[in-house]
């Protein structure tokens, strides 16, 4: 089977997540909708991967499978060699709890907790977490620690979501359209925070977007269509988020 | 098309909507059920009284020649007079060791009485040729499986007789057969028997005379208008004077019971409809919040504010109407059932059931009122939403540091989520707590009469009446009688009792009752208040039951006039030395010797309290039967047993019903608030799951809120329950009863436990929903 992993940069680093023939079929009443059809993918330690593709191409489905939010209908998924494709709900919860950080388009902060408390929520259940204030410092929000979500802008909320996602020192940071609801300037600030986390903590990062420009900041760019990975590109040099324009 | 949306919305909310409909149904069912029972019983009572010509005025006396009846007929306003002979008998019944007490009431020879007519259930009237034929009251007949043709061995005025049963009957003046001076009916130990006048008069040594008279009045004449004249005519013939229907014990019990139904018809429905209104509010507010966009779209499509508002009003209206329909059906069922139950319990010769149209209208009105109260707030919001604004999502929920924030400092973030969520909607938390508290209070207050009765019985049987057997005499006797009792086999202690019918007077107020004598150093029967404190019976002066002092408006230190209604009928003025809160009756107490001195008629005792050795009981009772002046024998242990049996029967059904109602209320509130809270915070909870929190941990946040509501509810419910109990005391107490305020810790604990158990059940249901949370679906949508 042909490996689609990139040749440059972290190509020789250990594989964190390995997918083979990953498929997901949704049943919508009488109809079966194949959202993902036999995807092979390796994510290597410290890598920054951007998944591009139009809506409906299967990006989110893939991300959900990688993050243990959903289970595949066929294929295998290994986390550091351990099968997680057939795991039950409890095992998946434990997997998410220990290894995965999520960032969504709509922040999904707990509105009744302050920025810092949203982060503490996670550090309390993690094994060797960051200091909550340090996590907020990484996303540049140390001075907003006591603000509630309703008192912050969208960009700030998203950065809190990132701080919350990385506070447990996850092995994987999965971001689903993290800038989708933000304007350009704010979006760049958020991307810088993700970039900083990836570099400073060496967290393997996988980011979904339909904005091709963002691919420039990645080690690898995968393009999806109709539930398959149809192209892979390795930009020579990772661009800094502040230099991106769209 | 909107109708289809309506149907689908309701289907989606079916469990919540069902809970509300059930609460409305309980409210409506108790309202219509209790009120229709009240009216049906009232009407049944009136019809029975009319059909069987229940008398208006009653009087009993020692003995008067038949000619006196003619003088009573001449009193203006009196339409009819009928005299009777009433005497007591001891009946030998199988299965009970002591003789049962029979009340022999005369009927004309071979004919029906003109008033207080009998309803012959089976058999025929006694044959004039057979003097010892009797009719037996149905309650007694059923308790002993007696049938026409059977015979009862009896002692009538000291003579052994076999009473032959000609038929089984009911009568308007003995609808509820309870032995005079006792609180509860005991159908095995007390029975009414009707015998022909000539034979009974001969047996009672009242030939050509009578000792009881009933009067019917001309239309529009009130009893109070003729009673003074009746008393004047009867004064020379002894007796406590005439009275209206209130003097008839059966009438009094029945009327009291019917009146109490009215209270139920108001309080319980108000409670249930109030809680239903609150839940309607919670649910509709939530529906409106989630459907803002739809509301905006509908308005943008050209529907008016009112049309859209009507859509939502109809949605909740349908729920209430469903509850109303269910409730009316239930009310009809309950009403029928209760009426039949009461009619059977009170042995009404006839009963009718009616559900008046105005009750239906009333039920509709109160349920619409509840619905209006519940939906008003949310509907106003619907009307206010402009089309454009509705297309934008609602502003994110605003949280801040509440004044109670300091309290949350030590909590974990999960604990703080719970705390702040409660703090952000304090009114909802308070109302939800109140709703659950009502369930606790309902249990406590509902069970209070049972606790109170039990406590009262423990007190009465354990501490006040300490004799084994109480004996009453046909007439007051001299102290020889006591000596006679002492000589009976097995008797260890005999203490005389003396009870005199009197009228107490203070100023323009008066009350006909009894004055009782207590022997100095009495050990068997003592005067005790509700809390079990012994009351000192004065050597001089009189001790009054608090109820009597209240009726007469007098206080210790003041004087009360006592008119004795038997013997030489002296009038004396006594000083009130104190009052005592007794559970039963309104009477006076004084030292036995002092009382005997006042009466000065040689007749000193009217009964006796006796301690008997267990081994000699059989021969004791055998000897007692040979004593001609013994009118009644009460075995205290049997009385207690009878009471306990009655309570046990009644309690199981009652407790189950109470738990079901309160459980429904608690579960309805807990489930609905939890579901709404769950819906509002789906996203938050899904986020937690994504972050790696387990299902149990996430459920903890929802459970935490439920626990806070219940924690508010339990103490509040206990307080409310206490308040309800106090309030109920007022309505339960009358001049026959003083109900003690009994606070039973097990009842409180049980009430809390029922509610906690209900919450646990609901929590399990909610837990399933939390487990099934669709993480991906929830998080990908915009709020």
């Amino acid at each position: 089977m042909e490996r689609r992993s990139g040749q440059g940069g972290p190509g020789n680093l250990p594989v964190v997540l390995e997918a083979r023939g990953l498929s997901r079929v949704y049943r919508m009443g009488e109809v079966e909708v194949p959202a993902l059809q036999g995807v092979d993918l390796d994510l290597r330690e410290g890598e920054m991967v951007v998944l591009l593709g139009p809506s409906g191409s299967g990006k989110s489905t893939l991300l959900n499978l990688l993050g243990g939010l959903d289970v595949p209908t066929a294929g295998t998924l290994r986390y550091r060699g351990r099968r997680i494709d057939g795991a039950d709900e409890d095992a998946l919860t434990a997997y998410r709890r220990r290894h995965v950080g999520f960032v969504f388009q709509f922040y999904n902060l707990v509105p009744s907790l302050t920025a810092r408390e949203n982060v503490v929520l996670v550090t309390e259940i993690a094994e060797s977490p960051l200091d909550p204030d340090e996590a907020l410092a990484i996303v540049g929000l140390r001075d907003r620690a006591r603000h509630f979500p309703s008192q912050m802008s969208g960009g700030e909320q998203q950065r809190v979501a990132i701080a919350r996602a990385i506070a447990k020192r996850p092995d994987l940071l999965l971001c689903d359209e993290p800038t989708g609801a933000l304007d350009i300037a704010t979006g760049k600030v958020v991307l810088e925070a993700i970039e900083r986390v990836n570099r400073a903590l060496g967290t393997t990062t996988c980011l979904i977007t339909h904005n091709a420009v963002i691919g420039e900041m990645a080690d690898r760019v995968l393009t999806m269509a109709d539930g398959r990975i149809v192209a892979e590109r390795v930009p020579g040099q990772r661009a800094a988020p502040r230099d991106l324009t769209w | 098309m909107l109708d289809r949306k309506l149907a689908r919305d309701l289907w989606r909310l079916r469990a919540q909507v069902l809970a509300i409909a059930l609460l409305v149904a309980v409210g409506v069912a108790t309202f219509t059920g209790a009120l229709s029972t009240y009216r049906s019983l009232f009407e049944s009572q009136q019809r029975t009284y009319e059909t069987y010509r229940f008398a208006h005025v009653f009087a009993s006396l020692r003995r008067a020649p038949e000619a006196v009846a003619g003088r009573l007929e001449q009193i203006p306003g009196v339409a009819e007079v009928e005299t009777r002979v009433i005497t007591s008998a001891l009946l030998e019944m199988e299965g009970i060791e002591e003789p049962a007490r029979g009340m022999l009431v005369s009927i004309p020879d071979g004919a029906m009485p003109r008033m207080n007519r009998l309803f012959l259930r089976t058999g025929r009237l006694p044959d004039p040729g057979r003097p010892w034929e009797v009719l037996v009251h149905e309650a007694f007949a059923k308790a002993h499986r007696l049938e026409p043709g059977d015979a009862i061995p009896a002692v009538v005025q000291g003579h052994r007789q076999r009473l032959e049963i000609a038929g089984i009957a009911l009568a308007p003046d003995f609808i509820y057969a309870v032995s005079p001076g006792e609180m509860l009916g005991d159908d095995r130990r007390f029975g009414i028997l009707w015998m022909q006048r000539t034979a009974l008069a001969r047996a009672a040594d009242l030939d050509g005379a009578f000792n009881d008279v009933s009067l019917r009045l001309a239309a529009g004449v009130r009893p109070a208008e003729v009673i003074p004249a009746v008393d004047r005519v009867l004064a020379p013939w002894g007796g406590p004077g005439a009275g209206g229907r209130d003097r008839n014990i059966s009438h009094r019990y029945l009327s009291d019971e019917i009146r109490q139904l009215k209270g139920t018809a108001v309080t319980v429905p108000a409670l249930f409809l109030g809680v239903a209104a609150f839940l309607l509010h919670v649910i509709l507010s939530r529906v409106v919040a989630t459907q803002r966009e739809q509301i905006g779209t509908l308005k943008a499509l050209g529907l008016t504010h009112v049309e859209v508002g009507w859509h939502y009003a109809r949605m909740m209206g349908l729920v209430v109407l469903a509850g109303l329909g269910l409730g009316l059906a239930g009310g009809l069922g309950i009403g029928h059932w209760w009426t039949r139950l009461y009619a059977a319990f009170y042995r009404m010769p006839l009963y009718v059931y009616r559900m008046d149209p105005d009750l239906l209208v009333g039920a509709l009105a109160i349920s619409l009122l509840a619905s209006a109260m519940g939906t008003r707030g949310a509907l106003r919001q619907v009307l206010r939403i402009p089309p454009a604004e509705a297309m934008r999502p609602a502003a994110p929920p605003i949280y801040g540091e509440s004044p109670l924030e300091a309290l949350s400092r030590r909590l974990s973030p999960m604990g703080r989520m719970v705390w702040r969520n409660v703090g952000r909607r304090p009114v909802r938390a308070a109302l939800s707590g109140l709703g659950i508290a009502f369930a606790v209070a309902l249990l406590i207050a509902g069970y209070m009469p049972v606790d109170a009765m039990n406590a009262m019985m423990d007190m009465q049987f354990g501490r006040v009446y300490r004799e084994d057997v109480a004996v009453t005499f046909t007439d007051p006797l001299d102290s020889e009688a006591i000596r006679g009792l002492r000589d009976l086999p097995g008797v260890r202690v005999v203490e005389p009792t003396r009870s005199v019918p009197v009228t107490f007077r203070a100023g323009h107020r008066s009350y006909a009752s009894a004055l009782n004598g207590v022997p100095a150093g009495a050990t068997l029967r003592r005067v005790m208040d509700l809390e079990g404190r012994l009351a000192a019976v004065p050597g001089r002066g009189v001790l009054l039951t608090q109820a009597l002092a209240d009726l007469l408006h007098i206080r210790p230190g003041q004087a009360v006039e006592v008119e004795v209604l038997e013997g030489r009928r002296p009038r004396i003025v006594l000083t009130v030395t104190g009052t005592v809160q007794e559970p039963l009756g309104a009477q006076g107490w004084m030292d036995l010797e002092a009382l005997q001195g006042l009466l000065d008629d040689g007749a000193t005792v009217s009964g006796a309290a006796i301690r008997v050795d267990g081994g000699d009981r059989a021969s004791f009772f055998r000897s007692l039967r040979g004593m001609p002046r013994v009118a009644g024998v009460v075995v205290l242990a049997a009385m207690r047993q009878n009471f306990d049996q009655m309570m046990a029967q009644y309690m199981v059904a009652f407790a189950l019903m109470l738990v079901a109602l309160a459980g429904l209320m608690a579960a309805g509130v807990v489930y609905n608030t939890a579901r709404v809270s769950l819906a509002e915070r789906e996203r938050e909870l899904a986020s937690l799951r994504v972050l790696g929190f387990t299902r149990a941990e996430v459920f903890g946040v929802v459970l935490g809120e439920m626990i806070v509501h219940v924690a508010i509810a339990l103490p509040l419910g206990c307080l409310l329950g206490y308040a309800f109990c106090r309030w109920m005391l007022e309505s339960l107490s009358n001049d026959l009863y003083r109900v003690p305020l009994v606070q039973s810790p097990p009842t409180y604990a049980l009430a809390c436990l029922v509610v906690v158990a209900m919450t646990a059940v609901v929590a399990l249901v909610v837990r399933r929903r939390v487990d099934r949370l669709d993480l991906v679906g929830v998080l990908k949508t915009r709020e």
Side-chain angles (χ1 to χ4, degrees):
Chain A
M1 196 178 286
E2 193 203 348
R3 301 283 293 264
R4 282 172 190 266
S5 58
Q7 287 88 41
N12 305 317
L13 291 170
V15 174
V16 179
L17 210 56
E18 177 198 273
R20 291 291 174 272
L22 214 55
S23 298
R24 181 68 169 98
V25 179
Y26 290 109
R27 283 195 75 93
M28 305 284 225
E30 308 279 292
V31 208
E32 291 199 339
V33 183
L36 209 60
Q37 311 187 51
V39 166
D40 295 341
L41 172 69
D42 287 340
L43 290 181
R44 293 174 179 278
E45 213 162 86
E47 220 184 352
M48 162 85 82
V49 175
V50 167
L51 273 178
L52 281 177
S55 34
S57 60
K59 305 186 300 279
S60 290
T61 305
L62 177 59
L63 202 76
N64 292 341
L65 291 177
L66 297 181
L69 286 180
D70 198 0
V71 284
T73 27
T76 59
L77 185 61
R78 285 193 167 84
Y79 171 77
R80 295 195 191 277
R82 227 176 51 236
R83 290 277 295 265
I84 55 170
D85 46 82
D88 63 10
E89 185 61 44
D90 290 343
L92 284 181
T93 301
Y95 166 65
R96 291 199 301 269
R97 190 170 183 138
R98 292 201 195 107
H99 309 298
V100 188
F102 276 100
V103 175
F104 291 102
Q105 181 178 359
F106 301 112
Y107 335 133
N108 292 326
L109 296 177
V110 176
S112 56
L113 296 180
T114 62
R116 189 173 186 281
E117 287 164 351
N118 263 285
V119 177
V120 171
L121 195 61
V122 167
T123 58
E124 282 197 341
I125 59 164
E127 275 158 14
S128 58
L130 292 176
D131 178 70
D133 296 312
E134 193 188 332
L136 282 172
I138 292 176
V139 297
L141 281 179
R142 202 164 181 164
D143 53 336
R144 307 283 283 174
R146 291 195 58 176
H147 286 69
F148 283 91
S150 59
Q151 298 164 323
M152 290 187 282
S153 71
E156 286 171 330
Q157 288 186 56
Q158 189 61 297
R159 279 147 71 198
V160 174
I162 294 169
R164 185 176 70 175
I166 57 148
K168 68 169 94 158
R169 293 184 203 268
D171 299 287
L172 267 175
L173 178 62
L174 305 178
C175 311
D176 194 346
E177 296 276 8
T179 58
L182 303 172
D183 60 63
I184 299 181
T186 319
K188 282 185 184 178
V189 176
V190 167
L191 289 177
E192 273 173 4
I194 294 172
E195 157 94 344
R196 203 175 310 136
V197 168
N198 174 256
R199 286 203 189 283
L201 304 176
T203 311
T204 308
T205 306
C206 184
L207 190 153
I208 287 183
T209 178
H210 55 259
N211 184 349
V213 177
I214 295 176
E216 297 307 312
M217 61 180 279
D219 291 315
R220 240 181 341 145
V221 181
L222 305 173
T223 307
M224 293 192 71
D226 296 329
R228 291 188 180 86
I229 295 176
V230 292
E232 176 174 344
R233 186 170 68 86
V234 180
Q237 183 85 37
R238 272 170 68 163
R242 77 178 97 70
D243 298 332
L244 302 178
T245 46
W246 65 85
Chain B
M1 222 15 86
L2 269 184
D3 286 347
R4 200 165 293 171
K5 166 173 164 6
L6 194 98
R8 285 185 191 143
D9 282 345
L10 285 177
W11 178 245
R12 201 169 44 80
L13 295 167
R14 59 192 176 275
Q16 285 155 278
V17 154
L18 179 72
I20 297 179
L22 282 179
L23 286 171
V24 172
V26 171
V28 168
T30 42
F31 175 78
T32 52
L35 271 187
S36 69
T37 306
Y38 164 75
R39 291 187 183 178
S40 303
L41 284 178
F42 189 76
E43 167 136 4
S44 304
Q45 185 190 25
Q46 297 309 316
R47 279 214 208 164
T48 302
Y49 286 178
E50 268 328 295
T51 310
Y52 296 94
R53 309 199 74 227
F54 186 45
H56 295 114
V57 172
F58 297 82
S60 59
L61 42 142
R62 283 184 67 78
R63 174 197 187 98
E66 193 59 35
V68 173
R71 288 177 52 206
L72 290 174
E73 263 164 9
Q74 280 154 23
I75 295 172
V78 172
E80 266 181 277
V81 176
E82 188 165 46
T83 63
R84 298 195 282 196
V85 168
I86 296 181
T87 188
S88 61
L90 299 181
L91 311 175
E92 308 263 342
M93 304 311 299
E94 269 173 43
I96 49 176
E97 55 173 1
E98 76 275 23
R101 183 168 182 184
M103 190 182 221
L104 295 178
V105 179
S106 74
I107 54 172
D109 293 358
M112 272 285 172
R114 276 175 293 129
M115 58 188 87
N116 305 323
R117 296 173 72 91
L118 305 183
F119 169 72
L120 258 181
R121 195 64 105 182
T122 53
R124 51 167 176 80
L125 282 174
D127 185 335
R130 309 176 72 124
W132 296 105
E133 270 194 348
V134 294
L135 297 174
V136 180
H137 191 278
E138 187 183 57
F140 189 71
K142 282 225 165 121
H144 291 286
R145 296 162 196 259
L146 298 173
E147 277 171 36
D150 292 347
I152 305 173
V155 179
V156 184
Q157 300 291 310
H159 300 287
R160 291 191 175 273
Q161 265 322 322
R162 277 174 67 82
L163 303 176
E164 298 151 16
I165 301 175
I168 312 292
L170 293 171
D173 52 338
F174 296 108
I175 285 177
Y176 184 58
V178 55
S179 175
E182 276 179 37
M183 187 169 55
L184 288 170
D186 183 346
D187 292 339
R188 278 162 62 75
R189 295 183 172 79
F190 176 73
I192 309 287
L193 304 151
W194 289 273
M195 215 172 119
Q196 298 181 92
R197 173 71 175 268
T198 311
L200 187 57
R202 194 167 302 141
D205 199 16
L206 284 165
D207 271 323
F210 64 93
N211 66 359
D212 183 272
V213 60
S214 312
L215 291 81
R216 276 184 70 88
L217 306 180
V221 178
R222 285 177 304 117
E225 297 170 35
V226 302
I227 286 174
V230 174
D231 281 345
R232 273 195 299 278
V233 173
L234 296 181
W237 312 104
R245 285 178 172 173
D246 278 350
R247 187 60 68 82
N248 182 269
I249 301 177
S250 156
H251 171 81
R252 227 157 122 170
Y253 268 88
L254 188 58
S255 302
D256 262 359
E257 188 76 35
I258 293 176
R259 212 172 302 126
Q260 277 176 18
L261 270 174
K262 229 178 163 180
T264 317
V266 177
T267 44
V268 178
L271 227 54
F272 276 84
L273 291 174
V275 172
F278 160 63
L279 291 182
L280 276 176
H281 170 75
V282 171
I283 291 185
L284 191 58
S285 300
R286 175 61 199 162
V287 169
V288 169
T290 51
Q291 298 192 349
R292 285 175 66 85
E293 289 182 40
Q294 294 181 36
I295 294 169
T297 311
L298 291 175
K299 287 185 181 177
L301 288 175
L303 270 75
T304 64
H305 291 300
V306 174
E307 278 167 334
V308 178
W310 174 234
H311 170 69
Y312 286 95
R314 228 161 29 127
M315 189 162 148
M316 292 297 119
L318 275 178
V319 176
V320 172
L321 284 182
L324 179 70
L326 209 61
L328 285 180
L332 216 59
I334 289 177
H336 244 301
W337 181 54
W338 279 0
T339 306
R340 213 179 46 226
L341 224 61
Y342 273 107
F345 181 75
Y346 283 108
R347 310 254 171 224
M348 291 204 176
L350 61 84
Y351 78 90
V352 285
Y353 179 71
R354 49 188 277 195
M355 172 71 85
D356 298 329
D358 66 321
L359 284 187
L360 305 184
V361 174
L364 179 72
I366 57 169
S367 38
L368 286 184
L369 181 75
S371 141
M373 267 165 47
T375 53
R376 209 178 41 149
L379 281 183
R380 211 183 297 147
Q381 251 185 322
V382 173
L383 295 181
R384 232 190 272 138
I385 296 173
E389 193 195 297
M391 298 301 283
R392 288 192 294 270
I398 294 172
Y399 285 86
E401 303 209 346
S402 67
L404 294 171
E405 192 58 29
L407 290 173
S408 74
R409 289 266 180 263
R410 305 169 131 224
L411 296 175
S412 70
M414 305 278 264
R416 267 180 231 181
M417 285 171 66
V418 172
W419 186 249
R420 290 195 184 127
N421 212 54
V422 170
R424 199 168 77 87
R425 295 190 181 277
V427 176
R428 185 194 287 174
L431 285 178
S432 168
L434 190 68
I436 306 167
F438 276 146
V440 177
L442 190 69
L443 284 166
I444 292 174
Y447 216 72
M448 193 274 281
V450 178
D451 283 339
M453 275 301 225
N454 277 324
M456 236 153 84
M457 288 300 136
D458 283 343
M459 171 90 75
Q460 294 293 304
F461 288 107
R463 307 193 51 193
V464 178
Y465 296 99
R466 304 205 301 176
E467 69 264 35
D468 297 317
V469 176
V471 167
T472 47
F473 300 132
T474 49
D475 307 287
L477 304 176
D478 59 25
S479 44
E480 260 321 295
I482 297 298
R483 239 163 284 148
L485 286 172
R486 273 203 188 105
D487 293 339
L488 293 183
V491 171
R492 285 168 55 200
V493 187
V494 178
E495 283 179 7
T497 54
R498 177 75 165 110
S499 185
V500 195
V502 299
T503 300
F504 290 99
R505 285 204 173 79
H508 64 281
R509 297 188 170 84
S510 69
Y511 189 80
S513 171
L515 182 57
N516 305 305
V518 185
T523 58
L524 296 184
R525 200 176 281 186
R526 302 169 304 171
V527 186
M528 210 171 255
D529 69 6
L530 287 177
E531 268 82 48
R533 287 182 296 249
L534 272 180
V537 178
R540 286 177 182 189
V542 62
L543 176 70
L544 297 186
T545 305
Q546 185 65 49
L548 180 56
D550 291 346
L551 282 168
L552 297 175
H553 290 251
I554 49 177
R555 286 193 307 276
Q558 294 179 321
V560 62
E561 190 193 329
V562 178
E563 181 189 352
V564 178
L565 298 174
E566 64 173 40
R568 298 183 302 107
R569 302 180 78 95
R571 279 179 186 235
I572 19 185
V573 174
L574 294 170
T575 305
V576 178
T577 58
T579 59
V580 53
Q581 274 284 9
E582 281 187 301
L584 282 178
Q587 58 215 338
W589 297 93
M590 61 189 294
D591 179 69
L592 180 63
E593 272 183 40
L595 179 63
Q596 287 166 342
L598 280 176
L599 298 172
D600 191 26
D601 55 1
T604 53
V605 294
S606 56
I610 307 171
R611 271 270 170 93
V612 188
D613 266 335
D616 294 319
R617 283 170 82 98
S619 46
F620 166 76
F621 285 119
R622 213 175 308 122
S623 324
L624 206 57
R625 282 178 193 122
M627 300 185 77
R629 312 301 289 271
V630 170
V633 181
V634 173
V635 173
L636 275 291
M639 202 165 151
R640 174 76 211 239
Q641 209 188 351
N642 171 49
F643 169 79
D644 287 345
Q645 270 171 9
M646 258 177 71
M647 284 306 261
Q649 268 176 5
Y650 156 84
M651 251 161 50
V652 174
F654 180 72
L656 281 180
M657 191 188 74
L658 206 61
V659 167
L661 288 184
L664 172 66
M665 187 179 272
V669 174
V670 174
Y671 180 69
N672 271 295
T673 36
R675 280 298 303 274
V676 165
S677 166
L678 194 60
E680 283 170 352
R681 303 163 67 197
E682 235 178 359
R683 196 180 183 77
E684 206 174 308
L685 300 176
S687 301
L688 292 177
R689 294 278 287 121
V690 169
L691 289 175
F693 284 89
T694 62
R695 285 180 292 197
E697 284 166 333
V698 170
F699 174 63
V701 177
V702 180
L703 184 67
E705 204 174 322
M706 291 165 89
I707 290 175
V708 170
H709 289 173
V710 172
I712 296 172
L714 294 184
L716 187 65
C718 289
L719 279 175
L720 274 175
Y722 178 78
F724 281 177
C725 286
R726 290 220 69 128
W727 178 75
M728 274 173 64
L729 280 190
E730 310 275 312
S731 67
L732 281 181
S733 296
N734 52 34
D735 56 333
L736 281 177
Y737 288 136
R738 280 288 154 115
V739 180
L741 181 60
V742 173
Q743 296 302 307
S744 150
T747 298
Y748 278 70
L750 207 69
C752 292
L753 206 67
V754 166
V755 167
V756 169
M758 256 3 256
T759 308
V761 172
V762 170
L764 285 178
V765 176
V766 173
R767 164 85 202 240
R768 279 184 42 219
R769 299 203 77 92
V770 173
D771 287 354
R772 286 192 312 217
L773 214 55
D774 172 16
L775 304 188
V776 177
V778 171
L779 294 177
K780 294 295 165 58
T781 51
R782 196 175 63 153
E783 191 154 26

